[in-house]
Amino acid sequence: MITSEKQYEAAKEQLQVLSQSLLSPLKNDVPIAIEAAAKSQIQELIDEIKKNMDEYSKLIKNNNAAIEIHSLDDLLAAPIRYRLATHMTIEGFGQKVGVSARQIARYEKEEYQNINTSTLKKILRELDVHINGKITQKNNKNNERKAS
């Protein structure tokens, strides 16, 4: 996930380099299958970078629209998305949620995968996050008991 204008600019540069490498021919001694696999990997990376750039652009142009949460990954990304959508600096966001800017930067670097539950709850409470969902049970024949 792109979390700053600096990262966005770096992603644009990386996209240019990868696009150029996708168009350039590989060495003659490289088997066709290897060349095809390499180009496929480059294209996947290009697609991922474009997706991240699009998400960043949408967030900074969000104009306070609701940020939807449909998964645990969305929940963990919500603080970053909120900060970007509200045009807050890491320092301002840290002040708002009562966590140091240095710690927020660490959380963002790992996309909040490294946060403890109590701090996440504190941040989500400060952001007034509301989650409505449901738990559904998969129909698994191994877990079903047949009545005799």
Side-chain angles (χ1 to χ4, degrees):
M1 173 177 254
I2 296 173
T3 61
S4 69
E5 190 63 31
K6 184 177 179 180
Q7 287 180 357
Y8 183 83
E9 292 302 319
K12 278 185 4 186
E13 290 174 15
Q14 188 179 22
L15 193 59
Q16 286 179 331
V17 170
L18 289 170
S19 295
Q20 288 173 353
S21 70
L22 192 60
L23 298 174
S24 64
L26 294 178
K27 297 178 183 177
N28 291 336
D29 58 341
V30 176
I32 293 172
I34 300 294
E35 182 177 352
K39 288 193 177 209
S40 176
Q41 286 182 327
I42 291 169
Q43 187 59 54
E44 284 179 27
L45 190 51
I46 287 171
D47 293 344
E48 182 69 21
I49 291 169
K50 284 181 178 179
K51 182 181 131 218
N52 288 334
M53 290 174 69
D54 288 345
E55 179 183 29
Y56 178 81
S57 294
K58 287 177 185 173
L59 285 169
I60 62 172
K61 295 174 184 170
N62 189 326
N63 295 328
N64 294 323
I67 296 170
E68 294 189 16
I69 299 171
H70 299 285
S71 67
L72 182 55
D73 289 336
D74 286 347
L75 181 65
L76 293 173
I80 299 171
R81 291 178 176 147
Y82 176 91
R83 184 182 68 76
L84 294 173
T86 57
H87 306 283
M88 284 186 164
T89 63
I90 287 177
E91 292 78 13
F93 183 76
Q95 286 177 349
K96 177 175 179 58
V97 299
V99 177
S100 74
R102 175 180 264 176
Q103 189 61 49
I104 294 295
R106 283 190 212 117
Y107 291 148
E108 287 195 3
K109 184 177 181 184
E110 298 293 325
E111 295 184 9
Y112 283 82
Q113 296 292 322
N114 57 339
I115 194 168
N116 66 46
T117 307
S118 61
T119 305
L120 179 62
K121 286 167 66 174
K122 174 184 174 180
I123 291 171
L124 296 176
R125 224 179 353 264
E126 289 298 321
L127 299 181
D128 199 26
V129 172
H130 300 276
I131 300 172
N132 296 317
K134 61 183 174 181
I135 296 175
T136 56
Q137 185 177 11
K138 290 184 178 181
N139 189 6
N140 187 342
K141 291 184 180 183
N142 294 334
N143 292 336
E144 292 179 3
R145 291 188 176 175
K146 295 181 180 179
S148 303

